[in-house]
Amino acid sequence: MSDVSAALLYAAGRKGDHTTAAMARRMGVPYLTAYRWVTGRNAPGPAGLAAIERAYGLTSAALLPRQVAA
């Protein structure tokens, strides 16, 4: 499970969305898209991050881990 999927599942649960279908409806994205985010198969792009922020109030800074330069 990725950081994105863990944060998304937690935020969805707090809003009462306990299924991927409910999450997809709230975010206004196809079920398969939400499924891929939840399972960590894909990371959301800019439009997906905007949908997550509108639906659950999670910003991209809260979802994406910071990269540390070596």
Side-chain angles (χ1 to χ4, degrees), residues 4 8 27 29 33-34 36-37 41-54 58-61 63-64:
V4 172
L8 182 55
M27 291 186 289
V29 299
T33 299
R36 288 177 177 157
W37 295 342
R41 292 176 189 239
N42 291 87
L49 290 171
I52 293 169
E53 186 170 358
R54 279 192 307 274
L58 294 173
T59 63
S60 58
L63 288 172
L64 303 174

Side-chain angles (χ1 to χ4, degrees), residues 7-51:
L8 182 55
L9 285 171
Y10 179 76
R14 290 182 54 95
K15 290 266 190 167
D17 294 339
H18 299 291
T19 65
T20 305
M23 294 168 62
R25 277 192 300 274
R26 185 180 298 268
M27 291 186 289
V29 299
Y31 171 84
L32 190 55
T33 299
Y35 173 80
R36 288 177 177 157
W37 295 342
V38 167
T39 60
R41 292 176 189 239
N42 291 87
L49 290 171

